[in-house]
PDB file of all heavy atoms in Angstrom:
ATOM      1  N   PRO A 100      -7.427 -69.805 -18.095  1.00  0.00           N
ATOM      2  CA  PRO A 100      -7.987 -69.377 -16.766  1.00  0.00           C
ATOM      3  C   PRO A 100      -7.005 -69.403 -15.596  1.00  0.00           C
ATOM      4  O   PRO A 100      -7.456 -69.129 -14.424  1.00  0.00           O
ATOM      5  CB  PRO A 100      -9.170 -70.326 -16.547  1.00  0.00           C
ATOM      6  CG  PRO A 100      -8.846 -71.561 -17.261  1.00  0.00           C
ATOM      7  CD  PRO A 100      -7.959 -71.183 -18.362  1.00  0.00           C
ATOM      8  N   LEU A 125      -4.107 -61.635 -14.491  1.00  0.00           N
ATOM      9  CA  LEU A 125      -5.015 -62.708 -14.733  1.00  0.00           C
ATOM     10  C   LEU A 125      -4.307 -63.756 -15.612  1.00  0.00           C
ATOM     11  O   LEU A 125      -3.329 -63.545 -16.194  1.00  0.00           O
ATOM     12  CB  LEU A 125      -6.231 -62.283 -15.482  1.00  0.00           C
ATOM     13  CG  LEU A 125      -7.553 -62.021 -14.638  1.00  0.00           C
ATOM     14  CD1 LEU A 125      -8.657 -61.581 -15.560  1.00  0.00           C
ATOM     15  CD2 LEU A 125      -7.877 -63.099 -13.765  1.00  0.00           C
ATOM     16  N   GLY A 176      -5.330 -63.211 -19.954  1.00  0.00           N
ATOM     17  CA  GLY A 176      -6.060 -64.232 -19.238  1.00  0.00           C
ATOM     18  C   GLY A 176      -7.145 -64.721 -20.148  1.00  0.00           C
ATOM     19  O   GLY A 176      -7.649 -64.021 -21.049  1.00  0.00           O
ATOM     20  N   GLY A 177      -7.539 -66.006 -20.125  1.00  0.00           N
ATOM     21  CA  GLY A 177      -8.506 -66.553 -20.900  1.00  0.00           C
ATOM     22  C   GLY A 177      -8.351 -66.548 -22.293  1.00  0.00           C
ATOM     23  O   GLY A 177      -7.173 -66.801 -22.841  1.00  0.00           O
ATOM     24  N   ASP A 178      -9.242 -66.044 -23.131  1.00  0.00           N
ATOM     25  CA  ASP A 178      -9.190 -65.772 -24.579  1.00  0.00           C
ATOM     26  C   ASP A 178      -8.934 -64.278 -24.706  1.00  0.00           C
ATOM     27  O   ASP A 178      -9.670 -63.443 -24.081  1.00  0.00           O
ATOM     28  CB  ASP A 178     -10.384 -66.233 -25.167  1.00  0.00           C
ATOM     29  CG  ASP A 178     -10.260 -66.124 -26.757  1.00  0.00           C
ATOM     30  OD1 ASP A 178     -10.465 -65.038 -27.336  1.00  0.00           O
ATOM     31  OD2 ASP A 178      -9.781 -67.143 -27.307  1.00  0.00           O
ATOM     32  N   VAL A 181     -12.297 -62.195 -25.398  1.00  0.00           N
ATOM     33  CA  VAL A 181     -13.395 -62.162 -24.554  1.00  0.00           C
ATOM     34  C   VAL A 181     -13.095 -61.159 -23.353  1.00  0.00           C
ATOM     35  O   VAL A 181     -12.236 -61.490 -22.494  1.00  0.00           O
ATOM     36  CB  VAL A 181     -13.709 -63.592 -23.930  1.00  0.00           C
ATOM     37  CG1 VAL A 181     -14.909 -63.425 -22.983  1.00  0.00           C
ATOM     38  CG2 VAL A 181     -13.989 -64.603 -25.084  1.00  0.00           C
ATOM     39  N   PHE A 182     -13.586 -59.973 -23.650  1.00  0.00           N
ATOM     40  CA  PHE A 182     -13.304 -58.884 -22.611  1.00  0.00           C
ATOM     41  C   PHE A 182     -11.911 -58.655 -22.327  1.00  0.00           C
ATOM     42  O   PHE A 182     -11.518 -58.422 -21.195  1.00  0.00           O
ATOM     43  CB  PHE A 182     -14.065 -59.057 -21.331  1.00  0.00           C
ATOM     44  CG  PHE A 182     -15.548 -59.461 -21.472  1.00  0.00           C
ATOM     45  CD1 PHE A 182     -16.243 -60.496 -20.913  1.00  0.00           C
ATOM     46  CD2 PHE A 182     -16.303 -58.682 -22.319  1.00  0.00           C
ATOM     47  CE1 PHE A 182     -17.571 -60.774 -21.087  1.00  0.00           C
ATOM     48  CE2 PHE A 182     -17.686 -58.913 -22.566  1.00  0.00           C
ATOM     49  CZ  PHE A 182     -18.279 -60.027 -22.012  1.00  0.00           C
ATOM     50  N   GLY A 183     -10.946 -58.918 -23.300  1.00  0.00           N
ATOM     51  CA  GLY A 183      -9.570 -58.851 -23.113  1.00  0.00           C
ATOM     52  C   GLY A 183      -8.976 -57.739 -23.836  1.00  0.00           C
ATOM     53  O   GLY A 183      -7.813 -57.514 -23.778  1.00  0.00           O
ATOM     54  N   ILE A 205      -8.373 -70.637 -23.525  1.00  0.00           N
ATOM     55  CA  ILE A 205      -9.480 -71.235 -22.906  1.00  0.00           C
ATOM     56  C   ILE A 205     -10.096 -70.146 -22.094  1.00  0.00           C
ATOM     57  O   ILE A 205      -9.559 -69.619 -21.106  1.00  0.00           O
ATOM     58  CB  ILE A 205      -9.104 -72.351 -22.124  1.00  0.00           C
ATOM     59  CG1 ILE A 205      -8.533 -73.490 -22.935  1.00  0.00           C
ATOM     60  CG2 ILE A 205     -10.325 -72.850 -21.336  1.00  0.00           C
ATOM     61  CD1 ILE A 205      -8.124 -74.764 -22.106  1.00  0.00           C
ATOM     62  N   THR A 206     -11.366 -69.777 -22.475  1.00  0.00           N
ATOM     63  CA  THR A 206     -11.959 -68.672 -21.719  1.00  0.00           C
ATOM     64  C   THR A 206     -12.530 -69.149 -20.289  1.00  0.00           C
ATOM     65  O   THR A 206     -13.079 -70.230 -20.287  1.00  0.00           O
ATOM     66  CB  THR A 206     -13.123 -67.967 -22.586  1.00  0.00           C
ATOM     67  OG1 THR A 206     -13.659 -66.956 -21.852  1.00  0.00           O
ATOM     68  CG2 THR A 206     -14.184 -68.923 -22.974  1.00  0.00           C
ATOM     69  N   SER A 207     -12.509 -68.277 -19.356  1.00  0.00           N
ATOM     70  CA  SER A 207     -13.025 -68.594 -18.164  1.00  0.00           C
ATOM     71  C   SER A 207     -14.579 -68.729 -18.284  1.00  0.00           C
ATOM     72  O   SER A 207     -15.184 -69.284 -17.292  1.00  0.00           O
ATOM     73  CB  SER A 207     -12.620 -67.492 -17.116  1.00  0.00           C
ATOM     74  OG  SER A 207     -13.164 -66.274 -17.453  1.00  0.00           O
ATOM     75  N   ALA A 208     -15.214 -68.007 -19.228  1.00  0.00           N
ATOM     76  CA  ALA A 208     -16.643 -67.998 -19.327  1.00  0.00           C
ATOM     77  C   ALA A 208     -17.253 -69.407 -19.296  1.00  0.00           C
ATOM     78  O   ALA A 208     -18.352 -69.650 -18.915  1.00  0.00           O
ATOM     79  CB  ALA A 208     -17.039 -67.116 -20.573  1.00  0.00           C
ATOM     80  N   VAL A 211     -14.468 -72.030 -16.333  1.00  0.00           N
ATOM     81  CA  VAL A 211     -14.649 -71.904 -14.744  1.00  0.00           C
ATOM     82  C   VAL A 211     -15.891 -72.482 -14.295  1.00  0.00           C
ATOM     83  O   VAL A 211     -15.975 -73.141 -13.347  1.00  0.00           O
ATOM     84  CB  VAL A 211     -14.393 -70.482 -14.429  1.00  0.00           C
ATOM     85  CG1 VAL A 211     -14.832 -70.194 -12.876  1.00  0.00           C
ATOM     86  CG2 VAL A 211     -12.928 -69.988 -14.609  1.00  0.00           C
ATOM     87  N   VAL A 254     -21.971 -64.291 -16.314  1.00  0.00           N
ATOM     88  CA  VAL A 254     -21.481 -62.924 -16.028  1.00  0.00           C
ATOM     89  C   VAL A 254     -20.026 -62.987 -15.689  1.00  0.00           C
ATOM     90  O   VAL A 254     -19.668 -63.471 -14.601  1.00  0.00           O
ATOM     91  CB  VAL A 254     -22.333 -62.059 -15.233  1.00  0.00           C
ATOM     92  CG1 VAL A 254     -22.038 -60.680 -15.089  1.00  0.00           C
ATOM     93  CG2 VAL A 254     -23.969 -62.284 -15.561  1.00  0.00           C
ATOM     94  N   LEU A 255     -19.069 -62.305 -16.419  1.00  0.00           N
ATOM     95  CA  LEU A 255     -17.723 -62.019 -15.922  1.00  0.00           C
ATOM     96  C   LEU A 255     -17.763 -60.682 -15.285  1.00  0.00           C
ATOM     97  O   LEU A 255     -18.473 -59.718 -15.652  1.00  0.00           O
ATOM     98  CB  LEU A 255     -16.697 -62.185 -17.129  1.00  0.00           C
ATOM     99  CG  LEU A 255     -16.746 -63.467 -17.898  1.00  0.00           C
ATOM    100  CD1 LEU A 255     -15.586 -63.397 -18.822  1.00  0.00           C
ATOM    101  CD2 LEU A 255     -16.691 -64.631 -17.140  1.00  0.00           C
ATOM    102  N   MET A 256     -16.755 -60.497 -14.455  1.00  0.00           N
ATOM    103  CA  MET A 256     -16.618 -59.255 -13.706  1.00  0.00           C
ATOM    104  C   MET A 256     -17.871 -58.694 -13.164  1.00  0.00           C
ATOM    105  O   MET A 256     -18.258 -57.588 -13.181  1.00  0.00           O
ATOM    106  CB  MET A 256     -16.128 -58.143 -14.739  1.00  0.00           C
ATOM    107  CG  MET A 256     -14.766 -58.329 -15.303  1.00  0.00           C
ATOM    108  SD  MET A 256     -14.156 -57.175 -16.582  1.00  0.00           S
ATOM    109  CE  MET A 256     -14.980 -57.839 -18.025  1.00  0.00           C
ATOM    110  N   VAL A 282     -18.610 -68.859  -9.001  1.00  0.00           N
ATOM    111  CA  VAL A 282     -17.409 -69.695  -8.936  1.00  0.00           C
ATOM    112  C   VAL A 282     -16.216 -68.738  -8.905  1.00  0.00           C
ATOM    113  O   VAL A 282     -15.892 -68.036  -9.826  1.00  0.00           O
ATOM    114  CB  VAL A 282     -17.405 -70.602 -10.140  1.00  0.00           C
ATOM    115  CG1 VAL A 282     -16.112 -71.562  -9.926  1.00  0.00           C
ATOM    116  CG2 VAL A 282     -18.552 -71.358 -10.301  1.00  0.00           C
ATOM    117  N   GLU A 283     -15.518 -68.707  -7.744  1.00  0.00           N
ATOM    118  CA  GLU A 283     -14.451 -67.802  -7.478  1.00  0.00           C
ATOM    119  C   GLU A 283     -13.133 -68.532  -7.712  1.00  0.00           C
ATOM    120  O   GLU A 283     -12.939 -69.759  -7.454  1.00  0.00           O
ATOM    121  CB  GLU A 283     -14.403 -67.265  -6.049  1.00  0.00           C
ATOM    122  CG  GLU A 283     -15.499 -66.482  -5.617  1.00  0.00           C
ATOM    123  CD  GLU A 283     -15.559 -66.422  -4.099  1.00  0.00           C
ATOM    124  OE1 GLU A 283     -14.903 -65.448  -3.539  1.00  0.00           O
ATOM    125  OE2 GLU A 283     -16.181 -67.247  -3.462  1.00  0.00           O
ATOM    126  N   ARG A 284     -12.110 -67.838  -8.284  1.00  0.00           N
ATOM    127  CA  ARG A 284     -10.780 -68.246  -8.443  1.00  0.00           C
ATOM    128  C   ARG A 284     -10.631 -69.721  -9.052  1.00  0.00           C
ATOM    129  O   ARG A 284      -9.951 -70.633  -8.521  1.00  0.00           O
ATOM    130  CB  ARG A 284      -9.975 -68.353  -7.142  1.00  0.00           C
ATOM    131  CG  ARG A 284      -9.899 -66.900  -6.484  1.00  0.00           C
ATOM    132  CD  ARG A 284      -9.316 -66.890  -5.180  1.00  0.00           C
ATOM    133  NE  ARG A 284     -10.061 -67.613  -4.153  1.00  0.00           N
ATOM    134  CZ  ARG A 284     -11.095 -67.159  -3.554  1.00  0.00           C
ATOM    135  NH1 ARG A 284     -11.469 -65.828  -3.596  1.00  0.00           N
ATOM    136  NH2 ARG A 284     -11.714 -67.852  -2.632  1.00  0.00           N
ATOM    137  N   GLY A 285     -11.283 -69.919 -10.173  1.00  0.00           N
ATOM    138  CA  GLY A 285     -11.366 -71.247 -10.837  1.00  0.00           C
ATOM    139  C   GLY A 285      -9.921 -71.782 -11.149  1.00  0.00           C
ATOM    140  O   GLY A 285      -9.063 -70.996 -11.465  1.00  0.00           O
ATOM    141  N   SER A 311     -13.905 -60.937  -6.465  1.00  0.00           N
ATOM    142  CA  SER A 311     -13.440 -61.131  -7.828  1.00  0.00           C
ATOM    143  C   SER A 311     -11.973 -61.659  -7.695  1.00  0.00           C
ATOM    144  O   SER A 311     -11.266 -61.482  -6.755  1.00  0.00           O
ATOM    145  CB  SER A 311     -13.335 -59.662  -8.480  1.00  0.00           C
ATOM    146  OG  SER A 311     -12.930 -59.783  -9.825  1.00  0.00           O
ATOM    147  N   PRO A 312     -11.527 -62.517  -8.681  1.00  0.00           N
ATOM    148  CA  PRO A 312     -12.204 -62.835  -9.990  1.00  0.00           C
ATOM    149  C   PRO A 312     -13.231 -64.121  -9.664  1.00  0.00           C
ATOM    150  O   PRO A 312     -12.897 -65.065  -9.030  1.00  0.00           O
ATOM    151  CB  PRO A 312     -11.108 -63.351 -10.757  1.00  0.00           C
ATOM    152  CG  PRO A 312     -10.002 -63.873  -9.862  1.00  0.00           C
ATOM    153  CD  PRO A 312     -10.115 -63.043  -8.629  1.00  0.00           C
ATOM    154  N   ALA A 313     -14.268 -63.784 -10.231  1.00  0.00           N
ATOM    155  CA  ALA A 313     -15.358 -64.998 -10.169  1.00  0.00           C
ATOM    156  C   ALA A 313     -16.279 -64.914 -11.419  1.00  0.00           C
ATOM    157  O   ALA A 313     -16.408 -63.891 -11.975  1.00  0.00           O
ATOM    158  CB  ALA A 313     -16.148 -64.630  -8.846  1.00  0.00           C
ATOM    159  N   VAL A 314     -16.879 -66.007 -11.652  1.00  0.00           N
ATOM    160  CA  VAL A 314     -17.676 -66.183 -12.796  1.00  0.00           C
ATOM    161  C   VAL A 314     -19.198 -66.523 -12.142  1.00  0.00           C
ATOM    162  O   VAL A 314     -19.338 -67.383 -11.303  1.00  0.00           O
ATOM    163  CB  VAL A 314     -17.326 -67.275 -13.797  1.00  0.00           C
ATOM    164  CG1 VAL A 314     -18.437 -67.449 -14.849  1.00  0.00           C
ATOM    165  CG2 VAL A 314     -16.047 -66.945 -14.405  1.00  0.00           C
TER     166      VAL A 314
HETATM  167  N1  SAH B 401     -10.364 -62.742 -21.444  1.00  0.00           N
HETATM  168  C1  SAH B 401     -10.719 -63.423 -20.129  1.00  0.00           C
HETATM  169  C2  SAH B 401     -11.824 -62.591 -19.371  1.00  0.00           C
HETATM  170  C3  SAH B 401     -11.149 -61.240 -18.965  1.00  0.00           C
HETATM  171  S1  SAH B 401     -12.319 -60.368 -17.878  1.00  0.00           S
HETATM  172  C4  SAH B 401     -11.319 -64.856 -20.392  1.00  0.00           C
HETATM  173  O1  SAH B 401     -11.646 -65.096 -21.573  1.00  0.00           O
HETATM  174  O2  SAH B 401     -11.484 -65.647 -19.456  1.00  0.00           O
HETATM  175  C5  SAH B 401     -11.771 -60.844 -16.276  1.00  0.00           C
HETATM  176  C6  SAH B 401     -12.799 -61.737 -15.611  1.00  0.00           C
HETATM  177  O3  SAH B 401     -12.795 -62.992 -16.082  1.00  0.00           O
HETATM  178  C7  SAH B 401     -12.763 -61.784 -14.231  1.00  0.00           C
HETATM  179  O4  SAH B 401     -13.281 -60.633 -13.531  1.00  0.00           O
HETATM  180  C8  SAH B 401     -13.549 -62.993 -13.793  1.00  0.00           C
HETATM  181  O5  SAH B 401     -14.910 -62.668 -13.951  1.00  0.00           O
HETATM  182  C9  SAH B 401     -13.222 -63.885 -14.964  1.00  0.00           C
HETATM  183  N2  SAH B 401     -12.214 -64.839 -14.670  1.00  0.00           N
HETATM  184  C10 SAH B 401     -10.980 -64.968 -15.382  1.00  0.00           C
HETATM  185  N3  SAH B 401     -10.237 -65.964 -14.864  1.00  0.00           N
HETATM  186  C11 SAH B 401     -10.974 -66.444 -13.954  1.00  0.00           C
HETATM  187  C12 SAH B 401     -10.759 -67.507 -12.876  1.00  0.00           C
HETATM  188  N4  SAH B 401      -9.602 -68.324 -12.938  1.00  0.00           N
HETATM  189  N5  SAH B 401     -11.720 -67.730 -11.945  1.00  0.00           N
HETATM  190  C13 SAH B 401     -12.823 -67.073 -12.033  1.00  0.00           C
HETATM  191  N6  SAH B 401     -13.076 -66.042 -12.753  1.00  0.00           N
HETATM  192  C14 SAH B 401     -12.104 -65.754 -13.724  1.00  0.00           C
END
Side-chain angles (χ1 to χ4, degrees):
L125 262 183
D178 185 273
V181 178
F182 309 131
I205 296 178
T206 182
S207 64
V211 169
V254 186
L255 304 191
M256 299 176 276
V282 186
E283 298 165 87
R284 300 177 295 276
S311 184
V314 174

